[in-house]
Amino acid sequence: DAKTTQPNSMESNEEEPVHLPCNHSTISGTDYIHWYRQLPSQGPEYVIHGLTSNVNNRMASLAIAEDRKSSTLILHRATLRDAAVYYCILRAYSNSGYALNFGKGTSLLVTP
Amino acid sequence: DTAVSQTPKYLVTQMGNDKSIKCEQNLGHDTMYWYKQDSKKFLKIMFSYNNKELIINETVPNRFSPKSPDKAHLNLHINSLELGDSAVYFCASSLISGGPNEQFFGPGTRLTVL
């Protein structure tokens, strides 16, 4: 799976939008872009995933660059509960095992 | 109702002991996983089972032996525990073995080997 690069940390004010970037310049055509987050002392939690088109769900939006070499996770209104480590993960489609390779992620701090 | 549960939550033991961690999912998923998160917070896949059959076995010492009595349970047995086994172990499940699909993680088991 291709490598991803994320900032080590970001800070946001509560109730403001947050844009978490992820670079993946060596992404292949079959790689899906996944985002998971891990709140303190909890297991990772799925946020969103996409392939080529932008995606929205109740938690967040995923904006994927046209060349797919980067993507941005958008939290529309950050809350204190969104403080977590956010992981951008690439994984090619597989029909026999879909293990995720977590990198260092971005630690998001949300201040009131 | 907890979707993916693990027991125990904390496990403190001496070097050389044998211990087990249990995982259960009530989501009706076919696929289950074990991940290890070390002190530097990197999460790495260890094993994956699909319908009780091992499908992923990463480079893990053979002191680690997963067992899946049925597709709702995936247990991890560790023999001859070493200091380096200290970590947080997460169980996860997904609907199918292929992807992309959402993985649901348990709360983790913090293993401390003294």
Side-chain angles (χ1 to χ4, degrees):
Chain A
D1 299 317
K3 187 180 170 181
T4 62
T5 304
Q6 300 178 251
N8 287 336
S9 62
M10 290 185 65
E11 193 169 335
S12 172
N13 293 323
E14 199 177 8
E15 298 189 6
E16 287 187 359
V18 182
H19 291 234
L20 295 159
C22 181
N23 287 323
H24 29 78
S25 58
T26 59
I27 191 170
S28 75
T30 54
D31 281 335
Y32 284 80
I33 302 161
H34 300 76
W35 284 83
Y36 279 74
R37 71 180 186 181
Q38 188 173 21
L39 277 63
S41 300
Q42 294 190 26
E45 175 186 31
Y46 170 84
V47 179
I48 202 166
H49 79 271
L51 182 61
T52 56
S53 305
N54 294 345
V55 185
N56 299 300
N57 67 19
R58 64 174 179 80
M59 286 182 73
S61 296
L62 176 59
I64 301 173
E66 203 168 324
D67 64 6
R68 301 212 321 128
K69 293 186 176 182
S70 65
S71 60
T72 303
L73 179 71
I74 303 165
L75 306 179
H76 296 285
R77 280 180 76 240
T79 68
L80 296 178
R81 198 198 168 273
D82 291 322
V85 178
Y86 286 79
Y87 299 96
C88 170
I89 303 165
L90 301 187
R91 186 66 171 90
Y93 177 85
S94 166
N95 59 9
S96 60
Y98 206 74
L100 300 171
N101 293 314
F102 289 77
K104 292 183 182 179
T106 297
S107 181
L108 176 65
L109 175 67
V110 180
T111 52
Chain B
D1 245 2
T2 306
V4 181
S5 59
Q6 296 178 227
T7 53
K9 189 165 173 61
Y10 299 97
L11 187 50
V12 181
T13 188
Q14 301 284 336
M15 269 176 53
N17 284 350
D18 303 338
K19 290 292 178 187
S20 292
I21 305 171
K22 295 187 176 183
C23 177
E24 177 182 1
Q25 54 95 2
N26 63 6
L27 298 166
H29 288 170
D30 280 351
T31 307
M32 297 184 73
Y33 310 79
W34 277 110
Y35 288 84
K36 177 182 179 181
Q37 188 165 39
D38 60 25
S39 56
K40 293 183 180 177
K41 302 295 186 183
F42 287 112
L43 256 163
K44 292 191 188 310
I45 184 68
M46 299 175 70
F47 303 102
S48 178
Y49 270 72
N50 184 56
N51 254 324
K52 302 192 297 175
E53 185 180 332
L54 182 66
I55 56 172
I56 293 176
N57 185 352
E58 289 297 304
T59 309
V60 176
N62 57 15
R63 297 181 295 103
F64 290 77
S65 52
K67 282 188 173 51
S68 182
D70 55 63
K71 72 176 193 178
H73 296 84
L74 180 60
N75 303 323
L76 183 65
H77 187 76
I78 316 170
N79 287 327
S80 304
L81 277 155
E82 300 178 356
L83 294 176
D85 298 333
S86 295
V88 182
Y89 293 83
F90 289 100
C91 176
S93 75
S94 63
L95 186 60
I96 55 174
S97 64
N101 66 89
E102 179 180 352
Q103 291 187 19
F104 293 78
F105 284 78
T109 295
R110 181 174 293 277
L111 171 64
T112 303
V113 182
L114 304 174

